[in-house]
DNA sequence: TAGTGGTCTAGACCACGAA
DNA sequence: TCGTGGTCTAGACCACTAA
């Protein structure tokens, strides 16, 4: 019992140093000097290796930058990796109110394309969820989502308010990595009717595979009204 | 002189250990055990901190995985960050032969949109390069590239065989980070004629800003034939 | 010359996992 | 119980930078 408390509450020294430096440096301009390693050694009464461990963490997370012979300084913020988001968050970022109208929600047998994308066998149970997605009340996107039923028992019983990503997050299955195939094409008659455009109007089509850990959680096909939606992607690191 | 030689050729111990482990582990299945830290200590006759420094590097590059109390093991390969590529490499990856027909290549005064994207002042000199890009001889894309003339003196004199990214790489200005705005829309009459499609046919439009270090090197507007081109993007980390 | 980060040693104790 | 990685010490010498 005591052990647990001690273990849980003991502040590791390198963590203490790390967080001290983090708060010191928070809000400073890039190029501002951080305390030197030996200064931290005397301040915390700790070995230099311990300080280096703390600083290593801050350097590798991109907060600090080492300049041999000169010192350690606040690094300029680096462009990070784009975190995958779903329709709801995408719209909220644009200041639009996402809405969702469920057109279909049922268990189906996976077809060949969906089965391959989900990494399951053709005919396995999948939850197929088709929604007309609006932004500020205007039709924006027609979206078919396919989920591996085995991973999400009872999932389709729940009422989904808006965000599939939020619902997956509650089960610890929010995709951390997605692969999109983006194309363009004319609207079919059905799509045109639902999205309230002319048949043949250009649509932006996105086929997505959403992966969490080692498993593909979601496969979706979305058709966006091209006159209302532009997709933003950032690729690469640093900058 | 001697110092230089010594400095250049001395193999740092942690590097020796790191590379030894890397070759040991190369090609092994994920989950295979790496040598223990104390084993490496005795093998190389170095301190444990030195071994840890070596292993830290391999862990943070995603090659190894530590399991406290168990050991260190080969990590499953993680999905990395997508490196930005240009049209030429994009086509080569698909097994297609990229070709380029320059329609226009001249110095212009930057318009408001291009100036803002390049981070320069309206009216500053930019190199405008308009190309019809083919894959295996078939029209694929109409591309306008705008380059900051100040960054690339004499650049437009050179004959560009195909790849702008390769040419920029030679000057150390290959974009390491890009931002794309992807939309769809109907082909104008001019676009239709060049791309050999009907007027109004759906095109996939990509507005790109290519950044290297702290500067925006390139801004481009591309219009792809939607019947021939699908764009692939991967977002997020790990998997 | 003094201060900085980079590297390295030869130990130590701890919590955890497997046998 | 024994081996593992996690943490930590109290020093050391080096190359580099700036005054």
């Amino acid at each position: 019992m005591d052990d647990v408390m001690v273990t849980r509450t003991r502040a590791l020294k390198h963590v203490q140093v790390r967080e001290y430096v983090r708060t010191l440096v928070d809000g400073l301009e890039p190029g501002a000097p951080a305390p030197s390693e030996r200064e931290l050694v005397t301040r915390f009464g700790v070995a230099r290796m311990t300080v280096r461990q703390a600083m290593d963490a801050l350097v590798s997370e991109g907060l600090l930058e080492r300049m041999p012979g000169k010192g350690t300084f606040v690094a300029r913020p680096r462009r990070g990796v784009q975190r995958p988001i779903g329709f709801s968050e995408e719209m909220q970022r644009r200041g639009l109110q996402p809405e969702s109208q469920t057109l279909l929600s049922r268990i189906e047998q996976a077809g060949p394309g969906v089965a391959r994308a989900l990494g399951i066998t053709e005919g396995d149970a999948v939850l197929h969820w088709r929604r007309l997605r609006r932004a500020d009340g205007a039709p924006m996107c027609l979206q078919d989502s396919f989920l591996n039923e085995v991973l999400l028992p009872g999932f389709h019983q729940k009422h989904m308010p808006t965000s599939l990503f939020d619902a997956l997050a509650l089960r610890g299955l929010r995709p951390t990595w997605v692969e999109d195939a983006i194309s363009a094409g004319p609207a079919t008659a059905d799509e045109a009717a639902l999205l309230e455009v002319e048949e043949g109007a250009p649509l932006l089509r996105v086929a997505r595979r959403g992966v969490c850990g080692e498993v593909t959680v979601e496969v979706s096909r979305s058709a966006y009204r091209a006159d209302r939606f532009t997709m933003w992607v950032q690729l690469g690191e640093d900058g």
Side-chain angles (χ1 to χ4, degrees), chain A:
Chain A
M1 216 36 157
D2 243 47
D3 271 341
V4 174
M5 278 305 289
V6 170
T7 301
R8 253 203 246 143
T9 57
R10 177 174 57 220
L12 300 174
K13 295 191 179 181
H14 78 267
V15 173
Q16 285 183 32
V17 176
R18 193 219 304 148
E19 296 311 316
Y20 168 78
V21 174
R22 194 200 299 283
T23 59
L24 257 193
V25 144
D26 179 55
L28 263 55
E29 294 299 308
S36 82
E37 298 180 354
R38 287 166 179 86
E39 184 182 335
L40 292 166
V41 165
T42 62
R43 173 181 296 274
F44 284 89
V46 93
R48 176 133 174 260
M49 285 307 304
T50 306
V51 168
R52 283 187 66 76
Q53 189 175 6
M55 301 298 263
D56 278 343
L58 295 173
V59 167
S60 74
E61 83 181 52
L63 185 64
L64 297 182
E65 198 174 5
R66 286 203 174 100
M67 312 259 295
K70 295 180 66 178
T72 305
F73 303 88
V74 178
R76 79 183 152 78
R78 312 207 153 207
R79 279 173 249 266
V81 180
Q82 199 175 5
R83 183 180 64 103
I85 58 176
F87 179 86
S88 301
E89 189 173 342
E90 182 90 51
M91 291 304 122
Q92 281 159 1
R93 286 198 185 183
R94 296 165 194 230
L96 302 174
Q97 182 63 37
E99 295 160 43
S100 220
Q101 177 184 346
T102 295
L103 304 176
L104 190 150
S105 170
R106 67 178 180 206
I107 308 275
E108 296 178 353
Q109 292 188 317
V114 168
R116 196 178 334 110
L118 280 176
I120 60 179
T121 305
E122 198 174 334
D124 282 357
V126 293
L127 170 58
H128 178 186
W129 195 13
R130 183 178 178 83
R131 289 178 289 175
L132 176 63
R133 316 213 63 169
R134 300 170 189 269
D136 281 356
M140 178 69 92
C141 168
L142 193 59
Q143 188 173 63
D144 288 283
S145 301
F146 300 88
L147 304 165
N148 185 343
E149 216 280 326
V150 176
L151 288 178
L152 298 158
F155 194 76
H156 87 120
Q157 312 296 354
K158 302 262 186 181
H159 176 248
M160 288 302 138
T162 7
S163 171
L164 174 60
F165 269 44
D166 285 353
L168 290 171
L170 291 178
R171 304 206 177 199
L173 285 172
R174 188 188 205 282
T176 56
W177 186 86
V178 302
E179 184 175 54
D180 289 340
I182 306 159
S183 57
T188 66
D190 286 352
E191 290 170 334
L194 287 162
L195 290 169
E196 301 173 14
V197 293
E198 304 264 315
E199 185 174 344
L203 300 180
L204 190 69
R205 299 182 183 281
V206 180
R208 164 167 291 195
R209 191 164 66 91
V211 175
C212 179
E214 309 229 27
V215 295
T216 300
V217 175
E218 178 220 18
V219 165
S220 67
R221 309 281 153 76
S222 304
Y224 293 87
R225 280 184 58 157
D227 57 339
R228 291 199 174 143
F229 183 75
T230 293
M231 184 171 176
W232 291 83
V233 304
Q234 287 102 43
L235 302 179
E237 267 179 324
D238 194 349

